[in-house]
């Protein structure tokens, strides 16, 4: 890329997730139901929408996005200090006199 800018896999994955979220929220029944429940849960319930199912679905998607973010962050950190921390923990565990019960 011009100017020495590089696009990492994390950025590409984040863009794919954002595009998928935009598609789901704007063009599917589930997305419209999410907007309805977010606007007024009692009104959505009175319209006959399954608010409990939608809330559970939103929590599942949120958990997936959190796990994906944690995975991408941990892969990003593998090149830094985290390897030193793992090596330090292993050295402490192998130190003479260290308990073997762990």
């Amino acid at each position: 890329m011009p100017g020495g800018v590089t696009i990492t896999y994390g950025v590409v994955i984040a863009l794919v997730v954002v595009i998928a979220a935009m598609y789901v929220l704007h063009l599917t029944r589930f997305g419209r139901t999410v907007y309805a429940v977010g606007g007024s849960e009692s009104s959505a319930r009175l319209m006959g929408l399954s608010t409990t199912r939608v809330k559970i679905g939103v929590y599942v998607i949120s958990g997936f996005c959190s796990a994906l973010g944690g995975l991408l962050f941990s892969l990003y950190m593998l090149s830094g200090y985290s390897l030193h921390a793992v090596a330090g923990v292993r050295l402490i565990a192998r130190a003479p006199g260290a308990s073997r019960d762990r």
Side-chain angles (χ1 to χ4, degrees):
M1 303 231 23
V5 176
T6 58
I7 297 177
T8 63
Y9 290 115
V11 171
V12 172
I13 291 172
L15 287 174
V16 168
V17 169
V18 167
I19 291 169
M22 288 174 52
Y23 173 79
V24 168
L25 287 174
H26 291 291
L27 299 176
T28 64
R29 180 178 174 188
F30 177 76
R32 291 184 206 142
T33 307
V34 168
Y35 279 121
V37 172
S40 174
E41 185 178 352
S42 60
S43 294
R45 191 178 309 111
L46 290 173
M47 286 189 288
L49 300 174
S50 177
T51 58
T52 305
R53 182 180 298 165
V54 170
K55 288 195 296 187
I56 290 172
V58 168
Y59 280 124
V60 167
I61 292 170
S62 176
F64 171 76
C65 289
S66 297
L68 183 63
L71 176 69
L72 291 175
F73 184 69
S74 66
L75 291 175
Y76 172 75
M77 292 301 292
L78 277 177
S79 62
Y81 293 106
S82 63
L83 290 178
H84 298 295
V86 170
V89 168
R90 287 189 178 187
L91 286 175
I92 291 171
R94 303 244 183 227
S99 174
R100 301 271 183 207
D101 297 355
R102 294 184 211 181

